[in-house]
Every structure is written in C-alpha cells, then in structure tokens.
Amino acid sequence: MKNEVSAEAKKAQFMVEKAMGDITRATRKVLMDYVSKMYFSSFAKAIAYLGLESEDAIDLLNNMDADTRRQVEALAKEYQKSDTQVISEVEHIITASGMDFTDDYKIIKDNIILSGKTFAEEAVQNFQKETPIFQKKMEDCLFSFEDFQYLDDRAIQKVLQETDMQVLAKALRGTSTEVQDKIFRNMPQRTATMLKEDMEWMGPARAQEVDAAQANLVKIVFRLSNNGDILLTLKEDCFK
C-alpha cells in the first residue's frame, strides 16, 4: 500500500524545494553577473592599456556585438593606461600567459650603455611610457641596490635623509663591502658607528626582510630622480 503524504509533509516538501531552488537560482545569477561584469571590466582595462584609438583595440572591438562594444568602450574611457587597476589587470593577464622576458632584459642590460647615453635615456622613457607594467622590472634592470656604490655623495646623502635607520641596517646586511663603505662615508661618524652597532646586534635577518629593505631604498632613489632632486647617470660599470 502506497504511503500517503500528509498535508503538513507536502507543505514542508514544497517549502524545502522552493528554498533550495531559490538558492540555486540566486547563486547562478550572482555567478553570471560576476562573470559578465568581470568580463566587461577586464576587457575594458585591457582596451584602455592598448589605447582606445589603437589598431589592436579597434580590431578587438570590431569583433564584439554592438551592445557589448558600447559597454566595453564606456568602461574603457573611465581608465587611463597608467592606472593602478589597469596595470594590475594586465600584469595578471601577462603572468597567467607564462611569458618570460628574462633573456630580453639581459639583452637590454648588456647593451644599453653601448647604445649611447641619449638613445638609452629616450629608449627607457619611451618603454616605460608604452609598457608601464614593466616599469619596476626596467628599474631593476637599470638600477639595483648594489648600484648605490655608483651614486655620487650628494645623491647618497639625499637618500639617507629620507631613510629610516632600521630599514637601512637591514638593507646593508645583504650587500657588498663597497656599498656599505659608500653609505658609511656619507654619514656623520657617530651615526655610522651606531648603525654598525645596530647591524651587529640585530642578529640574522630573513632574506625577505633584506630584499624589502633594499627595495625601499631603491624606490627612494627613483622618486628623488623623477623629482629632479638627484641625477641618475648611466655608467658602464652599473650594467656589468
């Protein structure tokens, strides 16, 4: 004999199925909206990076249906190529592609000086303007913490004025004697002595902390250079 379902049970079943259905539909809608918005947003940032008026961007837009194109163009107009959001999106796309430019950067580093000072400076400026996602990589290629030994005394002193001594102590833990001597020579003797003592008492520093401290000082160098406070000259020794 077939079990009969009570009215109360039927009502409960209906409520359960409805609630489950609501959750499923709502979840799918949220996912669809997210994917749609992310698609438009990612596409718009990529288009902004390429430049709305560029041939590449126009070719991509021409392959879209009219409604999608309008939405992407409208979003793209809200971004600039150098915007942090745009740079982050493009960096993600390039990284996900697995592309490796190690050999290319080695070629740049090995040949930039031989190309001549005027050409080198213009080439670097144009590259950073056209390909801003690699500005940090280019800066690393042109100037690293070890290159502090090639800065003139005035530039070193300017950098030290804006540097926390604890950060400097960590940065110097992982560098050459030449860089340390250059830094110490441009400090008051008492300050240099105290810094050396701090380095001795600091104990072992993690590689990540040393790298972060050195990166901090390199950022100061480029900021001062960009502001015209110090002059970064391209020297052959810096690129060996």
Side-chain angles (χ1 to χ4, degrees):
M1 183 176 178
K2 190 175 181 180
N3 293 332
E4 292 186 5
V5 180
S6 66
E8 184 177 8
K10 287 182 179 179
K11 180 179 179 182
Q13 291 172 4
F14 172 79
M15 296 297 289
V16 169
E17 289 180 344
K18 183 177 185 305
M20 288 180 175
D22 289 344
I23 292 172
T24 299
R25 286 187 293 274
T27 301
R28 292 178 64 85
K29 184 178 186 307
V30 168
L31 287 176
M32 291 298 292
D33 288 345
Y34 174 81
V35 171
S36 176
K37 289 178 181 177
M38 287 300 293
Y39 166 78
F40 288 132
S41 177
S42 296
F43 222 129
K45 291 171 185 174
I47 292 293
Y49 186 87
L50 293 170
L52 264 171
E53 305 302 323
S54 69
E55 292 184 10
D56 292 332
I58 292 173
D59 287 342
L60 289 172
L61 290 168
N62 284 338
N63 288 322
M64 301 177 185
D65 61 79
D67 185 54
T68 299
R69 176 168 182 164
R70 280 194 298 272
Q71 293 186 62
V72 171
E73 284 183 328
L75 277 174
K77 289 177 181 178
E78 297 179 5
Y79 297 112
Q80 296 294 323
K81 184 171 187 170
S82 58
D83 287 350
T84 302
Q85 289 177 292
V86 174
I87 297 297
S88 178
E89 182 71 30
V90 176
E91 282 180 338
H92 173 73
I93 294 170
I94 297 299
T95 300
S97 74
M99 298 181 74
D100 183 0
F101 300 103
T102 302
D103 291 341
D104 297 286
Y105 280 109
K106 186 177 186 307
I107 291 172
I108 293 171
K109 190 163 188 175
D110 290 345
N111 292 275
I112 192 71
I113 289 299
L114 298 176
S115 68
K117 184 174 184 297
T118 300
F119 173 88
E121 291 178 344
E122 290 179 356
V124 170
Q125 289 175 2
N126 290 335
F127 180 79
Q128 291 179 329
K129 180 180 178 182
E130 291 297 320
T131 319
I133 59 168
F134 294 119
Q135 179 161 339
K136 176 62 169 60
K137 188 71 175 178
M138 178 57 69
E139 289 177 354
D140 290 342
C141 180
L142 296 177
F143 188 89
S144 66
F145 190 75
E146 281 297 313
D147 294 327
F148 263 80
Q149 61 187 296
Y150 303 111
L151 292 177
D152 60 39
D153 290 344
R154 178 181 173 277
I156 292 286
Q157 292 161 18
K158 281 277 190 181
V159 173
L160 292 178
Q161 289 174 7
E162 303 197 20
T163 303
D164 180 87
M165 288 297 104
Q166 290 299 313
V167 173
L168 180 59
K170 287 183 181 179
L172 291 178
R173 291 298 299 273
T175 192
S176 66
T177 302
E178 289 80 8
V179 173
Q180 291 186 11
D181 289 344
K182 187 66 175 280
I183 296 291
F184 293 142
R185 285 201 307 270
N186 281 280
M187 302 173 71
Q189 185 174 354
R190 177 178 171 78
T191 304
T193 300
M194 292 176 62
L195 180 60
K196 292 176 183 179
E197 292 176 351
D198 286 344
M199 292 170 62
E200 291 177 3
W201 286 99
M202 185 180 291
R206 292 183 298 175
Q208 298 95 319
E209 294 178 343
V210 173
D211 291 343
Q214 293 183 353
N216 188 284
L217 267 75
V218 170
K219 287 180 182 178
I220 293 175
V221 170
F222 277 99
R223 176 165 55 78
L224 292 173
S225 175
N226 291 335
N227 292 341
D229 295 324
I230 65 174
L231 178 64
L232 278 184
T233 57
L234 298 177
K235 296 183 179 180
E236 184 171 358
D237 288 345
C238 294
F239 294 85
K240 288 183 178 179

